[in-house]
Amino acid sequence: MIKNALIFQGGWVGHEPEKVADILAGILKEENFIVNVTDTLETLEKEDLTAYDLIVPNWTQGTITDEQLEPLLKAVSAGTGLAGLHGGLGDSFRMATEYQFMAGGQWVAHPGDNDVTYTVKIKDQDHPLTKGLADFQVKSEQYYMHVDPAVYVHATTRFPIADGPHQSNGEVDMPVVWSKKWGKGRVYYCSLGHVAEIVRMPEVVSLMRKGFTWAARKENEKGVG
């Protein structure tokens, strides 16, 4: 069945939003989505977002107006899926707390910056969002997130690795991949993907493929897990 997806890309250029959006669009097209990629947030207020089965934010930082945010919140609540990665979903619109509420978390730090080698640990290899995936290593930013306790965690990473004042708190397992609901809509997040090179990793491509198809609009389904 063909579905419709919207990617809105932009924000901080260090995350290579255009290149990442192109990779994500390619994954979606392989899964029979018709994809609309836009580089303006005005699309959120000018189009009927409920016509999309999936919306993919790829916009780090930046500012969103109430006129742009409200249609997005309402579309997801009505059943449109939301899925994204790294700062494109987890560090968008820092002043928009309701957006963060919907997303399930917000980036707050990456100790060690982009030179940290860390393990992504898959929690349940039988779950549809992680089936067939084993634990793997990444050398990139290790995202420390403030996370909604309501999310369903699918993969984690262990902190601390890099030095910093957070070390005095001891070891913690930080969510890397999670899912949740927002009204009738499904929300999927993966913290990997600092630049296009990381997004192209086979494991990240697989995670996003599974996340996109899972989050896209479903009819008459209940529950998240």
Side-chain angles (χ1 to χ4, degrees):
M1 179 179 177
I2 295 176
K3 295 192 174 187
N4 295 305
L6 172 68
I7 300 175
F8 59 90
Q9 62 91 8
W12 184 59
V13 296
H15 278 163
E16 302 180 343
E18 188 173 351
K19 290 181 180 179
V20 170
D22 186 61
I23 297 169
L24 299 180
I27 296 170
L28 287 164
K29 289 174 183 176
E30 290 173 356
E31 296 300 319
N32 295 317
F33 283 82
I34 297 172
V35 184
N36 177 21
V37 180
T38 180
D39 62 2
T40 174
L41 296 177
E42 292 181 1
T43 302
L44 302 180
E45 57 185 309
K46 291 182 177 179
E47 291 197 20
D48 176 11
L49 300 185
T50 62
Y52 289 101
D53 299 292
L54 180 69
I55 296 175
V56 181
N58 190 41
W59 200 290
T60 304
Q61 300 175 34
T63 301
I64 191 169
T65 67
D66 290 343
E67 293 77 15
Q68 294 160 351
L69 178 58
E70 284 303 317
L72 178 60
L73 295 169
K74 289 179 179 178
V76 178
S77 182
T80 297
L82 187 80
L85 47 65
H86 202 63
L89 175 57
D91 188 24
S92 312
F93 321 127
R94 293 178 181 177
M95 297 300 293
T97 54
E98 197 164 5
Y99 175 88
Q100 296 165 21
F101 192 8
M102 175 177 64
Q106 169 64 36
W107 168 85
V108 292
H110 43 65
D113 295 323
N114 198 34
D115 295 317
V116 179
T117 299
Y118 61 95
T119 299
V120 175
K121 185 173 180 60
I122 305 299
K123 282 194 65 179
D124 182 0
Q125 295 179 349
D126 292 325
H127 193 281
L129 283 170
T130 48
K131 189 174 181 64
L133 287 170
D135 298 352
F136 62 97
Q137 283 197 323
V138 181
K139 184 176 182 181
S140 183
E141 291 179 342
Q142 187 185 30
Y143 258 25
Y144 202 103
M145 311 288 297
H146 283 178
V147 181
D148 181 349
V151 303
Y152 189 101
V153 178
H154 303 279
T156 62
T157 184
R158 179 67 56 89
F159 279 85
I161 294 177
D163 294 338
H166 61 296
Q167 288 178 291
S168 58
N169 295 304
E171 292 186 339
V172 294
D173 288 323
M174 181 61 56
V176 172
V177 177
W178 70 66
S179 61
K180 63 173 290 186
K181 295 293 290 292
W182 184 258
K184 295 180 180 178
R186 292 179 167 203
V187 177
Y188 173 85
Y189 177 70
C190 173
S191 71
L192 305 170
H194 176 55
V195 290
E197 179 182 6
I198 301 299
V199 181
R200 291 190 189 100
M201 289 179 60
E203 295 90 347
V204 179
V205 170
S206 182
L207 283 167
M208 295 313 298
R209 187 185 307 278
K210 293 174 185 293
F212 287 154
T213 55
W214 175 88
R217 185 189 308 276
K218 302 290 190 300
E219 301 296 337
N220 302 318
E221 288 195 4
K222 297 179 181 181
V224 173

